[in-house]
Amino acid sequence: MTRPSPSSPAPGSPGRPLRRRWAAGFGGLANLARWLWREAKWLIIGVVVLFVATGLLIGWVEAYEILMGFRSPSSAKHSILAWALSVVGWAIIPALIGAVVGYLWLCKKPR
């Protein structure tokens, strides 16, 4: 009879790191960051760069309000960046959220 090595605790045992125990309880969330980085890294980087560039040029509050759709991009100083940020807020962000929800749904779906 072989004994389990002390360096590899059982999946539910208290010797496992807290982050891994927490992530294991949520199924698809354990691999969500890896999936986002693998599948959507250029999209996320592009959105962040556009938001930072717009925030530096027209102000952070106004850039946030344009991204969220609270303010019209036509009244901004740099309207080309503001319009691009508005399109991102209306089309790309909801698509990214839908992709994350779809990924989590597939991870939780019984096989």
Side-chain angles (χ1 to χ4, degrees):
M1 185 164 126
T2 61
R3 296 176 56 183
S5 67
S7 63
S8 61
S13 72
R16 221 168 153 199
L18 179 62
R19 190 181 119 243
R20 288 187 185 251
R21 280 186 283 150
W22 179 81
F26 285 97
L29 286 179
N31 296 322
L32 180 63
R34 187 178 316 124
W35 177 79
L36 277 173
W37 186 249
R38 188 180 67 232
E39 299 295 330
K41 71 179 161 191
W42 295 114
L43 181 70
I44 293 170
I45 290 171
V47 168
V48 169
V49 166
L50 181 63
F51 180 74
V52 168
T54 309
L56 288 173
L57 289 175
I58 66 173
W60 297 104
V61 174
E62 191 172 357
Y64 174 76
E65 288 177 351
I66 289 172
L67 180 68
M68 293 295 122
F70 300 144
R71 184 179 291 189
S72 172
S74 61
S75 63
K77 289 186 284 189
H78 299 276
S79 64
I80 293 175
L81 280 177
W83 278 104
L85 192 64
S86 178
V87 169
V88 164
W90 280 98
I92 295 177
I93 300 293
L96 185 62
I97 292 170
V100 168
V101 169
Y103 172 77
L104 292 175
W105 177 265
L106 286 176
C107 287
K108 289 300 228 179
K109 191 174 180 182
R111 302 186 199 278

